[in-house]
Amino acid sequence: MSWELVAGLETHVELSTKTKIFCSCTTEFGGEPNTHCCPVCIGLPGTLPKLNEKVVEYAVKAGLATNCSIRNISKMDRKNYVYPDLPKAYQISQYDKPLCEGGYVELNSGKRVNINRIHIEEDAGKLVHQRGDLYIDYNRGGVPLIEIVTEPDFRSIDEVVEYVEKLRLIMKYTGVSDVKMQEGSLRCDVNISVRKQGEEKYGTRTEIKNMNSINFIAKAMEYEFRRQIDVLESGGEIEQETRRYDSGLNITESMRGKEDADDYRYFREPDLVTISISDEQIDRCKKSLPELPQQRLKRFVEVLGLPVDDAELLIKYQKVADYFEEASAGVESPKMVSNYILSQIFRRFSTESEKEEFNISIPPKYLSELVILAEKKKITSQVARNTLEKMLDEGKTASSFISEEDMQGVDEDDLRRLCQKAVDVNEKAVKEYLEGKEKAIGAIIGFIMKQSKGKADAALAAQIVKEIITKEN
């Protein structure tokens, strides 16, 4: 029997405001427990919330960047539930009049993942379990969130992974959030069910709560998909519930029965006024949006001539893409700039976070100057690579390391004589090349580059070597 996965995501994104949603406490990550909170964000009696205007602005930007329509009039509601991480016993959120509705994120296949709504709300505190005791840190309580709720449009784990990666980039490019999943700035609740292929009716869904790793999202979904199939095929029924993912055991396990909207007893938040946004304010937000990741990808490919794979790697890290843009200004071959960044420069960064930060010792102008020298054949590609390593080590310009001798290269007549010598002394490589092993030519070129101390034009040398071998055989 063939089963189909059906999934939808609720993604919580912490906004990059300096203060919390309803008070002036800092949103800075970390700090000693319960030092970033005040009577308002821990819900002491008699305190009153005041909505942070920047939260609304960021939420509108997020909605516009994901093709949502923006509601001119919206409101805040109380979502009631008793849990230790919410001292008020309710969360201030939005229910029937969310700020943003009806958007989408387009996948590479052209499929659109539809967004039902984006609403604003406050984050809860953090529960810390230690040796059987429960501790509560309210530093995170009151940090502003947007919750991005999709329709149940996902039919594979790969689609979910691509969506989260694209959504993360969009939020980062717009400046709405730093989306550091390791710090909880982006967390996903995954709603998942299964049904027989061809059925239209949805199965009973379960929710996997608070996933802050794309890798864990994929693993948890794979386990839950198989678990539900096993239950159904053995004659059981799926219970609507909330589950957690145990990364150590690679399983999901039940936390509690899943609540529906009615269980939260929503009602309007009486201590906050209606949110009113004019069309002019929405238009200003729209004009302030930067070029979004997919637009930038398209331009890198269609205008700058990059391969899609290269362009995708560059836009994945916003600072890297910005650096590439500046370094490409005035050069004939942006592809050469891309090659240096994705090969030599990237080798110096071992982690994703290092690539995100992209702390590099040379400004884009220095790389641009080096590329122009290579383009004009004033230096060989080998000299350029060696020079770049020295530039990255010391933070100096290319001219600090390139000598007059380096600029001269190898005369073509001298190069032909050197190529002939390389063919004569590398009989084994010549034989392998003639047998169809194209890579064997590399050994001959390596000999030439060593003899010329890296000053020979490798591409021209390869062309000459092939001519000599063909002529002699």
Side-chain angles (χ1 to χ4, degrees), residues 157-225:
I157 295 171
D158 287 343
E159 287 182 351
V160 171
V161 168
E162 184 184 343
Y163 166 82
V164 175
E165 288 175 340
K166 279 185 161 52
L167 187 68
R168 187 171 176 271
L169 268 184
I170 291 169
M171 296 300 116
K172 188 171 182 63
Y173 268 66
T174 55
V176 162
S177 174
D178 64 19
V179 291
K180 292 180 179 177
M181 297 186 78
Q182 69 276 16
E183 295 181 3
S185 295
L186 188 148
R187 313 189 295 273
C188 291
D189 299 340
V190 182
N191 292 285
I192 180 171
S193 65
V194 300
R195 64 184 178 186
K196 295 177 185 177
Q197 289 281 2
E199 280 190 354
E200 293 187 9
K201 184 180 178 182
Y202 294 135
T204 302
R205 65 188 168 92
T206 62
E207 178 186 47
I208 311 171
K209 200 75 174 172
N210 279 333
M211 308 290 294
N212 66 347
S213 156
I214 293 177
N215 184 39
F216 287 166
I217 288 171
K219 288 183 175 180
M221 288 187 68
E222 184 175 356
Y223 174 85
E224 184 62 16
F225 180 51

Side-chain angles (χ1 to χ4, degrees), residues 6 29 45 110 125 165 183 190 207 234 302 315 342 416 452 468:
V6 177
F29 178 74
E165 288 175 340
E183 295 181 3
V190 182
E207 178 186 47
S234 61
E302 295 182 359
I315 69 156
L342 297 179
R416 286 189 175 276
S452 67
I468 293 171

Side-chain angles (χ1 to χ4, degrees), residues 49-227:
K50 182 180 179 181
L51 182 59
N52 185 338
E53 185 178 3
K54 202 72 176 175
V55 171
V56 178
E57 178 188 328
Y58 281 173
V60 169
K61 284 185 175 181
L64 293 170
T66 51
N67 307 291
C68 290
S69 58
I70 310 301
R71 190 185 288 272
N72 294 107
I73 302 295
S74 66
K75 63 181 176 67
M76 303 302 297
D77 300 283
R78 288 188 181 182
K79 178 182 181 180
N80 296 273
Y81 66 93
V82 180
Y83 204 61
D85 60 8
L86 273 174
K88 300 192 295 281
Y90 63 84
Q91 179 189 37
I92 301 178
S93 181
Q94 292 189 297
Y95 177 46
D96 58 326
K97 291 187 177 180
L99 197 59
C100 315
E101 294 178 297
Y104 64 89
V105 170
E106 189 168 304
L107 304 182
N108 291 340
S109 64
K111 176 179 178 175
R112 289 183 176 181
V113 175
N114 293 294
I115 292 173
N116 177 284
R117 59 190 280 146
I118 300 177
H119 62 261
I120 56 178
E121 62 186 22
E122 61 181 332
D123 207 346
K126 182 180 179 181
L127 303 183
V128 182
H129 299 268
Q130 289 183 0
R131 299 173 185 172
D133 293 321
L134 175 63
Y135 299 90
I136 307 172
D137 179 5
Y138 287 124
N139 281 352
R140 197 175 68 185
V143 169
L145 298 176
I146 53 173
E147 182 174 347
I148 304 171
V149 183
T150 75
E151 300 291 355
D153 286 346
F154 300 103
R155 296 295 178 268
S156 74
I157 295 171
D158 287 343
E159 287 182 351
V160 171
V161 168
E162 184 184 343
Y163 166 82
V164 175
E165 288 175 340
K166 279 185 161 52
L167 187 68
R168 187 171 176 271
L169 268 184
I170 291 169
M171 296 300 116
K172 188 171 182 63
Y173 268 66
T174 55
V176 162
S177 174
D178 64 19
V179 291
K180 292 180 179 177
M181 297 186 78
Q182 69 276 16
E183 295 181 3
S185 295
L186 188 148
R187 313 189 295 273
C188 291
D189 299 340
V190 182
N191 292 285
I192 180 171
S193 65
V194 300
R195 64 184 178 186
K196 295 177 185 177
Q197 289 281 2
E199 280 190 354
E200 293 187 9
K201 184 180 178 182
Y202 294 135
T204 302
R205 65 188 168 92
T206 62
E207 178 186 47
I208 311 171
K209 200 75 174 172
N210 279 333
M211 308 290 294
N212 66 347
S213 156
I214 293 177
N215 184 39
F216 287 166
I217 288 171
K219 288 183 175 180
M221 288 187 68
E222 184 175 356
Y223 174 85
E224 184 62 16
F225 180 51
R226 295 298 168 197
R227 185 193 73 84

Side-chain angles (χ1 to χ4, degrees), residues 356-375:
E356 291 276 5
E357 291 301 319
F358 203 61
N359 291 321
I360 182 171
S361 60
I362 59 171
K365 182 181 178 183
Y366 288 8
L367 179 57
S368 180
E369 290 169 352
L370 178 70
V371 169
I372 290 171
L373 287 174
E375 283 179 337

